[in-house]
Amino acid sequence: MVNLLASSLNQAGEQVYLGLFNADGASCAQVVREADQHQIPVWNLRCRGRWDWRAVHDLANFLKINHIDVLHTHGYKANIYGFLGARLAGCAIVATCHNWTKRTAALQKYAALDQIFLRWFDTVIAVSQGIVTELRHNRVKRIRVIANGIDVAKFQGSGNHSKPNQPVVIGCLSRLSKEKGVDVLLWALPRILDRYPNLHCCVAGEGPERERLEVLATKLGVADSFHMPGFCDDTADFLKLCTVVAQPSRMEAMPLAILEAMAAGKAIVASAVGEIPRLLEDGHAGLLVPPDSPEKLAEAILTLLQDEALRQSLERRAAQKAASQFDVATMTAEYQKVYRTVTSGHQHVRHLTRADRMDMQV
């Protein structure tokens, strides 16, 4: 989403830099590769450990030297470092809040600290109403709602092209983590295979639950039909292979995977959490099931596989909604409005001291 927004802003005539913590590390490789493809300059913010005051100083100098008007941050660490750096540099700061998973005690503490810092941001973007509620509960006031966007054109034409003897594929684009509920899909799979023994279920993504999911697939006797190929570079190509897309999450904000499946014209079964019911129009653009319910998930998937007319109706409705409401151009225009608003009240520091310049050369 960050790369897509940066590329779209660039095409709209804005000067964009993508700053990453330790951009030369393996965890950033995919993001850097995509940025290079879109000709977005990447700046490597070296951060030595959990807290590094020098990184704040380096960030502030970078913002000054490059005459940055707005720093736009994503995630609690970027928000905290970004806030301090932006205030030292005198530029505006905006954050987008996608969600706080709070899987561990440490993540819960980081989320609480993040929400304290967000009270002082110029604007905080929430991608869902659930995030708005949490932000307001934590006394964050300057909030705007901007829906996630996707490159709709990239996914159009990915609809089902059935061929004789083509295998039925249940697809899922998901991080392999507990909140994404991939295990729920696994528990549903035996019942689905009873009706469609040649069916394949493919989950594209990576994460800490991989080993546990592999063990569960073997325990349930579905390992031959359940595939986890890893991180997916081209989700449009992956979706072309899918007959039905499942999103069995236990919690969500506004999942890009659902938007991509909608744009690709796919029949979707998803948990009724976060913004998903709104995206799927309470069942008119995709089927909704309760979270943590393998029986209901299996029933809904079987319904779509058995009812071609219903499946095609949902596919058309989902594709129409994605194109009309969630294209990246719409998202980009909304962010540009925010940037203009927050910069109008800021006096920027345009000159560096000689000492600052020497620091940047170290």
Side-chain angles (χ1 to χ4, degrees):
M1 181 270 180
V2 172
N3 266 321
L4 181 64
L5 177 59
S7 175
S8 183
L9 286 166
N10 202 24
Q11 292 173 16
E14 310 289 359
Q15 174 63 56
V16 181
Y17 296 89
L18 178 58
L20 298 173
F21 289 108
N22 302 318
D24 50 356
S27 62
C28 292
Q30 176 64 25
V31 180
V32 172
R33 212 162 31 242
E34 290 184 15
D36 288 343
Q37 289 171 2
H38 294 110
Q39 298 181 318
I40 303 297
V42 175
W43 179 60
N44 183 8
L45 176 56
R46 297 194 179 279
C47 189
R48 307 154 188 87
R50 190 168 296 174
W51 175 250
D52 182 0
W53 178 254
R54 180 59 186 265
V56 174
H57 182 68
D58 289 346
L59 174 59
N61 282 344
F62 177 85
L63 297 173
K64 293 176 186 178
I65 283 176
N66 291 282
H67 301 255
I68 302 298
D69 296 301
V70 182
L71 177 62
H72 186 171
T73 57
H74 299 257
Y76 72 86
K77 186 173 181 178
N79 293 345
I80 294 169
Y81 277 80
F83 175 80
L84 297 172
R87 287 298 178 253
L88 286 173
C91 72
I93 184 162
V94 171
T96 294
C97 296
H98 301 273
N99 217 337
W100 297 274
T101 60
K102 302 181 181 179
R103 290 189 302 269
T104 65
L107 288 176
Q108 291 170 18
K109 291 177 182 177
Y110 291 142
L113 183 61
D114 184 22
Q115 290 164 2
I116 291 172
F117 272 84
L118 290 172
R119 296 172 190 171
W120 306 101
F121 275 55
D122 295 295
T123 298
V124 177
I125 307 300
V127 300
S128 72
Q129 288 297 329
I131 290 175
V132 171
T133 299
E134 185 161 2
L135 287 169
R136 286 177 175 161
H137 177 73
N138 286 279
R139 294 186 287 166
V140 178
K141 296 180 180 179
R142 291 179 287 275
I143 305 171
R144 284 278 302 272
V145 178
I146 298 179
N148 284 335
I150 58 170
D151 184 358
V152 170
K154 177 181 176 182
F155 294 91
Q156 287 175 331
S158 297
N160 292 322
H161 304 288
S162 298
K163 298 177 182 178
N165 302 319
Q166 181 173 317
V168 175
V169 177
I170 300 171
C172 178
L173 287 163
S174 177
R175 174 173 162 76
L176 305 181
S177 55
K178 188 172 182 179
E179 71 273 7
K180 294 296 185 179
V182 177
D183 58 312
V184 180
L185 179 57
L186 255 179
W187 281 104
L189 197 52
R191 181 177 173 188
I192 299 169
L193 287 170
D194 283 344
R195 296 294 298 273
Y196 293 87
N198 296 321
L199 173 145
H200 292 274
C201 180
C202 189
V203 180
E206 200 50 83
E209 290 284 290
R210 170 176 283 276
E211 185 175 344
R212 192 174 78 87
L213 292 169
E214 289 172 342
V215 171
L216 180 58
T218 301
K219 175 183 174 181
L220 294 173
V222 299
D224 289 342
S225 301
F226 183 73
H227 314 284
M228 294 185 291
F231 183 81
C232 181
D233 285 333
D234 193 332
T235 54
D237 272 352
F238 174 80
L239 288 168
K240 289 178 183 178
L241 305 174
C242 302
T243 313
V244 170
V245 171
Q247 193 75 21
S249 304
R250 292 183 170 93
M251 63 177 294
E252 283 288 0
M254 177 175 257
L256 289 174
I258 291 284
L259 293 178
E260 290 173 350
M262 291 171 66
K266 293 296 172 177
I268 302 164
V269 177
S271 302
V273 296
E275 291 291 287
I276 293 177
R278 183 171 75 85
L279 293 178
L280 299 183
E281 296 183 343
D282 293 320
H284 295 291
L287 299 186
L288 297 167
V289 296
D292 262 321
S293 179
E295 298 82 7
K296 294 291 186 182
L297 181 62
E299 181 182 323
I301 290 172
L302 286 170
T303 295
L304 288 181
L305 294 178
Q306 293 163 2
D307 190 337
E308 186 174 357
L310 172 62
R311 191 168 71 244
Q312 291 179 350
S313 173
L314 294 176
E315 289 167 354
R316 286 193 298 270
R317 182 61 188 154
Q320 290 167 359
K321 181 163 186 176
S324 64
Q325 297 184 28
F326 298 110
D327 188 67
V328 62
T330 302
M331 175 183 71
T332 302
E334 291 300 309
Y335 274 109
Q336 286 180 296
K337 291 177 186 176
V338 171
Y339 299 154
R340 293 189 187 102
T341 299
V342 298
T343 55
S344 63
H346 270 264
Q347 293 293 325
H348 302 291
V349 178
R350 294 300 190 186
H351 301 287
L352 289 173
T353 66
R354 185 170 181 272
D356 286 331
R357 293 186 184 278
M358 290 178 65
D359 283 339
M360 289 298 290
Q361 295 170 3
V362 173

